Amino acid sequence: SAAVAANAALAVWFYQEPITQQMAGPWTVAQIRDRLKSHRINGMTPVWRQGSKGGWQPLSEVDELKAELRGEDDDANEEEDASKRLRRPPLEDVPILHTYTDERG
């Protein structure tokens, strides 16, 4: 399993640009992750790696790449991301500064 993860980390990935349908790459797993986070690609984006048997497949169906994308980033930063999320204050703590009335009162 560790050998598979090491090979996936070094793998050279390509994807099909959503707008132009042109092949883009080669990309590392970290670069693919960045493009997912910035919404430049998504789970339906066709991906391919040199040496892969299946040809072009939607990213969401490539288990090897999905596992690698989840692997490093989510485990290391999950707690950090949770603490950075902004939370809304409870409604009872929000002061009423404006009210709306129409011509009926």
Side-chain angles (χ1 to χ4, degrees):
S1 177
V4 171
N7 288 338
L10 299 173
V12 179
W13 292 92
F14 294 84
Y15 66 85
Q16 195 174 52
E17 285 284 353
I19 297 171
T20 64
Q21 304 299 312
Q22 297 295 313
M23 182 174 75
W27 306 106
T28 65
V29 171
Q31 290 170 320
I32 296 286
R33 183 183 298 116
D34 290 342
R35 280 155 180 75
L36 274 169
K37 285 183 176 181
S38 64
H39 304 288
R40 292 168 73 182
I41 61 174
N42 59 40
M44 295 303 295
T45 303
V47 296
W48 173 77
R49 178 177 59 87
Q50 289 178 330
S52 65
K53 297 173 188 162
W56 291 92
Q57 293 182 310
L59 191 152
S60 61
E61 295 179 13
V62 182
D63 293 334
E64 176 186 357
L65 182 55
K66 285 192 327 185
E68 192 62 28
L69 287 170
R70 285 190 200 117
E72 302 168 14
D73 194 47
D74 290 347
D75 295 341
N77 295 327
E78 189 171 334
E79 293 176 20
E80 183 180 322
D81 288 345
S83 66
K84 286 183 182 178
R85 289 189 194 121
L86 296 177
R87 298 188 186 263
R88 293 183 182 179
L91 192 54
E92 56 270 9
D93 292 347
V94 177
I96 299 176
L97 301 175
H98 304 283
T99 58
Y100 172 79
T101 56
D102 61 11
E103 61 275 355
R104 294 176 283 182

